[in-house]
Amino acid sequence: MKNKLLKGSLAKLSLICFVGAAISCSTPQDDSMDFETSTTSTPEDANNLSAKVTNTSKCDDQYKNPTREYEYSDGYDVNQTVSSKIDDRTCFADYSQTTYNNKTFGVYKIAAGTNHIDDLQPRMERATPAINSGDLGNGSYVRFSGYVTINRAGHLSDSYDRDDMRDKSGTYIAQAKGKHTGGGGSADPAICLIVAKPRFSGSTQVSYDLYREEITERGGSGVNGRQLVFLTNIPANTRKFFRMQTGFTGSGSNRTHYVNVRIGGTDYNWNVPSPERGIQAKIRFGAYRCHGGEAEILWDGVNKVVNKVPE
């Protein structure tokens, strides 16, 4: 089965205003942007696709990739330094790229109800390599870094507070995955996810509250197994430094499993419960979850480091 043919298009760009700040050379700069992106693709043979889509008005046959994973095939892939494989479970758009001022951005676009592959939330993501049991000794870790620009995030109005796990607003931009011993929960659990929840001026998304959605116990899910912790607010359409590192330190009763995040120049560190049960570390990034509306997340300057230490 052939890979999906992708035709990344140049974005429609308007004036870009650079925001300067007096910051140290060790703190990444933020670029305030004002541009639109779009994707086009060559139609493909999409026979025998699963009919999972509920929001047909936002689904286009030419974006119905017949398999979950493919590789970008329209020239150099700016995000392939992390992974060449794109997990695409949306028929709203294909992965595309846009270039401005010597920076090339990978564009991840999803919309509510447009997962044509399975019954889960739509997503377009890539994953770092995983480190697994046997290579999780003291100092073993996976690190992902890059710059994220949030143009839109999914939003669905409801009666829940923003820090309530039942609130449907927001789109995940990155997540740390980590399997564990002893059963319980998903076979491939997300243990720490960064979700962007939009703030509005009228109907316009002007900024995003970033939360850490963290498990409170191994295998935890929903209101009884996870919680939301507010981290920071970032402006819309602003290129922001992001780094996530997950790994292990110590051993035996002194073992620690951590997920540390840096947004801009601020660190947000967290230790995973029951570190002795952890048997994997991996990171995914892109755009995932959209209960309402659309999401458009851009990533550039991405890189990964995988450090395996025998146990």
Side-chain angles (χ1 to χ4, degrees):
M1 183 178 295
K2 65 181 181 180
N3 286 334
K4 175 165 51 173
L5 294 176
L6 297 170
K7 300 293 182 183
S9 64
L10 289 177
K12 240 163 105 187
L13 299 169
S14 56
L15 181 65
I16 291 187
C17 177
F18 178 79
V19 177
I23 52 178
S24 70
C25 61
S26 62
T27 303
Q29 298 182 83
D30 298 337
D31 293 341
S32 179
M33 303 197 193
D34 180 17
F35 62 86
E36 298 175 7
T37 63
S38 62
T39 57
T40 58
S41 177
T42 300
E44 61 177 285
D45 181 6
N47 295 328
N48 302 317
L49 291 177
S50 300
K52 304 290 187 180
V53 176
T54 58
N55 192 348
T56 55
S57 66
K58 289 186 177 293
C59 188
D60 193 314
D61 285 346
Q62 65 181 322
Y63 301 135
K64 287 184 178 178
N65 45 295
T67 58
R68 274 180 48 178
E69 291 188 333
Y70 58 82
E71 295 184 355
Y72 183 66
S73 58
D74 193 29
Y76 174 72
D77 182 354
V78 68
N79 287 170
Q80 68 184 1
T81 53
V82 174
S83 174
S84 64
K85 297 291 185 181
I86 303 161
D87 180 358
D88 183 345
R89 283 177 261 180
T90 178
C91 51
F92 175 60
D94 289 337
Y95 172 78
S96 65
Q97 297 186 166
T98 184
T99 300
Y100 180 81
N101 206 19
N102 297 320
K103 289 186 178 68
T104 302
F105 302 83
V107 182
Y108 299 78
K109 294 176 68 173
I110 59 177
T114 60
N115 185 341
H116 63 295
I117 299 293
D118 54 40
D119 292 316
L120 304 175
Q121 278 290 300
R123 69 203 67 195
M124 188 183 294
E125 293 182 298
R126 302 185 195 224
T128 67
I131 51 174
N132 298 289
S133 184
D135 287 316
L136 300 179
N138 185 12
S140 184
Y141 67 86
V142 176
R143 180 191 300 148
F144 163 76
S145 63
Y147 290 84
V148 63
T149 304
I150 306 176
N151 287 347
R152 291 190 299 281
H155 177 71
L156 183 66
S157 295
D158 54 40
S159 60
Y160 299 110
D161 293 335
R162 294 171 70 80
D163 60 355
D164 190 313
M165 280 296 302
R166 294 168 292 183
D167 180 48
K168 300 298 185 183
S169 180
T171 293
Y172 300 119
I173 62 173
Q175 56 173 315
K177 308 275 281 186
K179 297 179 180 180
H180 55 267
T181 61
S186 168
D188 187 23
I191 58 177
C192 175
L193 307 95
I194 305 301
V195 59
K197 299 195 175 196
R199 292 283 184 183
F200 291 84
S201 175
S203 60
T204 301
Q205 296 186 7
V206 295
S207 69
Y208 301 92
D209 289 340
L210 299 186
Y211 290 83
R212 183 177 63 225
E213 181 181 312
E214 61 188 40
I215 60 170
T216 55
E217 60 183 6
R218 291 284 178 174
S221 62
V223 294
N224 295 321
R226 295 188 182 186
Q227 63 184 8
L228 287 165
V229 176
F230 176 77
L231 303 182
T232 189
N233 176 275
I234 64 173
N237 309 311
T238 298
R239 184 173 177 264
K240 178 71 70 171
F241 180 75
F242 181 92
R243 184 177 70 211
M244 175 179 279
Q245 180 170 314
T246 179
F248 297 83
T249 60
S251 61
S253 60
N254 293 321
R255 191 186 199 207
T256 298
H257 183 189
Y258 64 87
V259 181
N260 295 342
V261 172
R262 169 168 282 203
I263 302 168
T266 304
D267 293 318
Y268 305 92
N269 299 334
W270 174 68
N271 290 336
V272 186
S274 305
E276 73 282 356
R277 294 179 60 192
I279 57 173
Q280 189 190 74
K282 182 173 66 174
I283 296 170
R284 289 169 66 89
F285 76 100
Y288 162 36
R289 194 178 90 156
C290 192
H291 284 284
E294 303 171 7
E296 182 176 78
I297 314 296
L298 279 63
W299 287 95
D300 76 286
V302 302
N303 196 14
K304 72 172 186 296
V305 177
V306 179
N307 187 49
K308 299 179 180 181
V309 179
E311 292 183 280

